[in-house]
Amino acid sequence: MESPPAVAVEDLSMTYRVPVRDAGLVAAARALVRRNYRDVHAVQNVTFHIETGHVVGFLGRNGAGKTTTMKILAGILHPTSGRVRVFGETPWRRHNHYLRQIALIRGSQPIGDAPELTVLDSFRYQQVLYDVAESEFEHNLAELSELLDLDSILQRQVRALSLGERMRAGLALALVYRPRILFLDEPTIGLDISAAKLVRTFIAEYSAQTGATVLLTSHSMADVESLCPRLILIDDGAIAFDGRRDELSSVFSPTKLIRVAVTDDDPDLAQHGDVLQRDGNQWLLRVDRDAVPATTARILSSFAVADLSVEEPSLENVMDQAYRHLRSAKDATS
């Protein structure tokens, strides 16, 4: 018998009722007596499953419904309708047993609520808060210290840490009780290149070593490319794509890239595709996806080719094309 998924979301919807009024003092005064409201559909009939131990990217534009969905999964919000199970639990009931299995990490979340404490004192407080047994705490702390290089800062006060050290300690603090699922909302936002790379490496290693399930939202395509084999794209509160990362291009990008190096004198490859880049006898062409086999055959038969490769467009470009496609489709139906 197959084990149930770690996350099961069925027909999830969330509607906010927000006040609205016209501009001006008269309208403001009238709103004090009688308010008008409108409904905002943040999430609409969303359905997806995530298997235990998988790392999944949850993508979309600002306001698409990502954070609302994450807050529902973490038990912070109660949905308007739908069914959600995370390890068999209903999140918004907020049972202690459930809360000890999850971590919602928003941004880089540096440690710092009690700057006079040492880093180890902060971890000890977290141990008491989440009722972590001593042997389990020691094991988890040792594992996190190795992954995030914390040994040298455990005895230091939080206020004396650098930003990078606070970031590493804050990430470990959120995981010292070893949650089974991580909801990560923009985990590398505001970090420099080195710090962001450290966080990505840590997330991958933590999931691999502990079997933790990860649902990640990020506008950084570096995060997505390095961590997420599967992507769920949400747009205007509804699922627009759910599949492997390499399938996204075929759905939303009509083109591929052909990178060619030739040894001919003064070659002209412009007739074979849109020239995106040329450096001497090295060319980068954009070609319709369906025309790639015929185009590569013509190039190979017409030029002295030293090297040729066919590439998918960057994930950033594919996402841009996806957003444009979805917006055009919405405009056409409105």
Side-chain angles (χ1 to χ4, degrees):
M1 178 182 294
E2 292 186 4
S3 58
V7 178
V9 177
E10 305 285 349
D11 294 323
L12 180 67
S13 294
M14 182 70 187
T15 300
Y16 295 100
R17 196 164 179 248
V18 298
V20 295
R21 68 171 176 83
D22 295 330
L25 293 176
V26 174
R30 188 182 301 118
L32 295 175
V33 180
R34 184 175 182 275
R35 285 194 170 188
N36 294 319
Y37 294 87
R38 69 181 178 90
D39 290 338
V40 175
H41 303 291
V43 179
Q44 303 179 67
N45 305 117
V46 165
T47 296
F48 62 85
H49 293 175
I50 301 175
E51 302 302 321
T52 301
H54 287 202
V55 180
V56 178
F58 193 47
L59 308 182
R61 290 172 289 193
N62 291 332
K66 305 185 302 298
T67 299
T68 296
T69 302
M70 295 277 260
K71 286 181 176 180
I72 292 171
L73 293 175
I76 296 173
L77 294 177
H78 192 298
T80 305
S81 64
R83 183 175 182 272
V84 178
R85 292 290 184 272
V86 180
F87 292 121
E89 301 269 356
T90 301
W92 49 91
R93 292 178 180 168
R94 297 186 65 78
H95 293 155
N96 287 339
H97 173 70
Y98 175 71
L99 297 178
R100 290 185 183 127
Q101 297 185 78
I102 71 167
L104 173 62
I105 301 175
R106 304 190 66 189
S108 52
Q109 198 165 308
I111 193 172
D113 289 340
E116 298 303 318
L117 296 180
T118 67
V119 173
L120 183 56
D121 288 337
S122 298
F123 289 157
R124 285 295 183 185
Y125 177 76
Q126 195 83 328
Q127 177 191 9
V128 173
L129 188 64
Y130 282 89
D131 193 24
V132 183
E134 179 65 20
S135 59
E136 184 182 355
F137 173 81
E138 294 288 349
H139 176 270
N140 294 349
L141 182 58
E143 186 176 72
L144 291 167
S145 295
E146 180 179 356
L147 288 173
L148 289 168
D149 191 22
L150 300 178
D151 286 339
S152 63
I153 66 172
L154 289 177
Q155 302 300 331
R156 290 166 58 188
Q157 285 183 304
V158 170
R159 67 177 181 177
L161 302 180
S162 68
L163 178 59
E165 290 168 340
R166 288 163 62 90
M167 178 273 297
R168 300 203 313 271
L171 189 55
L173 186 69
L175 303 178
V176 74
Y177 57 95
R178 196 164 180 169
R180 296 174 64 194
I181 185 163
L182 310 184
F183 300 118
L184 304 179
D185 192 359
E186 301 285 355
T188 63
I189 190 170
L191 300 180
D192 62 32
I193 293 174
S194 298
K197 183 178 180 181
L198 172 66
V199 170
R200 288 192 291 267
T201 300
F202 169 76
I203 292 169
E205 292 181 354
Y206 181 85
S207 178
Q209 290 189 15
T210 67
T213 306
V214 179
L215 183 63
L216 175 145
T217 73
S218 181
H219 290 296
S220 167
M221 292 303 100
D223 292 352
V224 177
E225 287 186 298
S226 63
L227 292 170
C228 306
R230 174 186 167 196
L231 302 180
I232 299 173
L233 177 59
I234 187 170
D235 187 69
D236 283 336
I239 299 296
F241 173 84
D242 184 354
R244 296 197 317 270
R245 189 177 66 231
D246 57 3
E247 294 175 335
L248 189 68
S249 294
S250 61
V251 173
F252 291 107
S253 177
T255 62
K256 283 189 175 185
L257 305 179
I258 299 178
R259 194 177 299 273
V260 189
V262 296
T263 58
D264 302 75
D265 293 330
D266 194 25
D268 182 11
L269 276 71
Q271 59 182 315
H272 297 286
D274 297 328
V275 180
L276 301 183
Q277 181 181 326
R278 181 185 179 184
D279 182 8
N281 284 5
Q282 298 186 44
W283 297 70
L284 181 63
L285 306 176
R286 181 172 57 204
V287 178
D288 287 344
R289 184 174 293 272
D290 294 338
V292 167
T295 301
T296 55
R298 287 197 303 271
I299 292 173
L300 289 169
S301 64
S302 304
F303 301 94
V305 175
D307 189 33
L308 184 148
S309 61
V310 178
E311 305 171 5
E312 293 287 351
S314 70
L315 183 58
E316 184 172 323
N317 286 335
V318 173
M319 290 300 299
D320 178 60
Q321 290 176 309
Y323 293 152
R324 292 173 185 273
H325 172 83
L326 294 169
R327 179 56 59 194
S328 296
K330 182 180 179 181
D331 291 343
T333 57
S334 61

